[in-house]
Amino acid sequence: MELNLKKPICFFDLETTGINVASDRIVEISILKVFPNGNKESFTWRVNPEMPIPAVTTAIHGISDEMVANEPTFKELALKVYNLIKDSDLGGFNSNRFDIPLLAEELLRAEIDFDLKKNLAVDVQTIFHKMEKRTLEAAYKFYCNKDLIDAHSAEADTLATYEVLKAQLDRYDDLENDISVLSQFSSHKNFADFAGFVGYNKEGEEIFSFGKHKGTKVEDILEKEPGYFGWLLNADFPLYTKKVLTRIKLRKLNTKL
């Protein structure tokens, strides 16, 4: 079954220096852009992360410091990536929890203020886990009856993810071929930021989802404890989380004017 698209969707996968969204960097990115008319374009870049790649990570994806030493930095590629995805929805495997948050961090570091929350996101892993509860290799074998060659290369994983989603739509009659429905179905808890530090209460108001103020409205704490806001901005939180907190702070100030 081909995807029923109202706008383009970019399937993408990242290979990185590690799994810390705030501090790790991209070493490879692959993007498959699928258009409503069925046309596709694909791009894959190796990226110089400007930091050492741990040996344990190289053992997983096979990308070493020497292999990316002469490749462009993400900042040099950022505008190309932005122009590819800015008009598109996003698709990936475990992308809601990792790839999208880390890409948002890299774009912000490259001084591209792009709000990825405006893009619908379809996480194929979440659909898979809700339906079958397995891994990408198993998903590819289960849905497509193919063995995933070169697993943990960004390009192979990206193409496999795209094929798995189409096969999922063929298999499940109750899974609607609509990106907004797939996005809602594949989402986890609804958070204001990607990393899950700022959630929502029943009234749709932002609340802290961690620490001593867990469950408390962000606006109230930022107003009562301005020092806490300063600590958050200086602590090791993802840049996107800090952006969300700053937006809430400014919104509260503007309502007082």
Side-chain angles (χ1 to χ4, degrees), residues 93 128 132 134-149 151 160-161 163-165 167-168 171-172:
F93 198 87
F128 179 40
E132 306 295 343
R134 299 186 185 177
T135 63
L136 179 56
E137 287 93 335
Y140 198 53
K141 184 69 174 179
F142 181 85
Y143 289 110
C144 305
N145 197 28
K146 300 177 184 177
D147 293 319
L148 180 54
I149 308 301
T161 298
E163 290 187 40
V164 166
L165 179 57
Q168 286 174 331
R171 177 174 288 269
Y172 304 116

Side-chain angles (χ1 to χ4, degrees), residues 7-12 31 33 81-92 95-96 100-101 103-104 107 112-123 179-184 186-187 190-192 194 240 243:
K7 61 190 291 190
I9 181 169
C10 284
F11 293 89
F12 76 102
I31 300 174
K33 188 168 186 175
V81 173
Y82 167 74
N83 286 332
L84 266 175
I85 68 175
K86 66 180 180 180
D87 64 341
S88 304
D89 293 321
L90 301 174
S95 48
N96 285 356
I100 290 176
L103 181 59
L107 287 170
I112 294 180
D113 190 8
F114 180 49
D115 190 353
L116 290 173
K117 295 290 271 188
K118 294 179 181 178
N119 304 67
L120 293 176
V122 178
D123 193 328
I179 295 300
S180 61
V181 174
L182 294 171
S183 175
Q184 184 176 9
S186 63
S187 66
N190 190 22
F191 291 105
F194 292 120
Y240 197 89
K243 176 182 175 180

Side-chain angles (χ1 to χ4, degrees), residues 239-250:
L239 293 176
Y240 197 89
T241 299
K242 294 177 182 180
K243 176 182 175 180
V244 168
L245 291 169
T246 301
R247 185 171 64 221
I248 297 170
K249 178 79 168 179
L250 292 174

Side-chain angles (χ1 to χ4, degrees), residues 192 198-201 203-207 217-220 222-223 229 243-257:
V198 182
Y200 294 101
N201 59 20
E203 289 72 38
E205 301 164 317
E206 296 96 343
I207 58 173
K217 285 176 58 177
V218 174
E219 280 191 357
D220 292 346
L222 296 187
E223 183 176 16
F229 178 66
K243 176 182 175 180
V244 168
L245 291 169
T246 301
R247 185 171 64 221
I248 297 170
K249 178 79 168 179
L250 292 174
R251 185 183 67 204
K252 183 66 173 180
L253 291 174
N254 288 334
T255 59
K256 292 183 175 181
L257 297 178

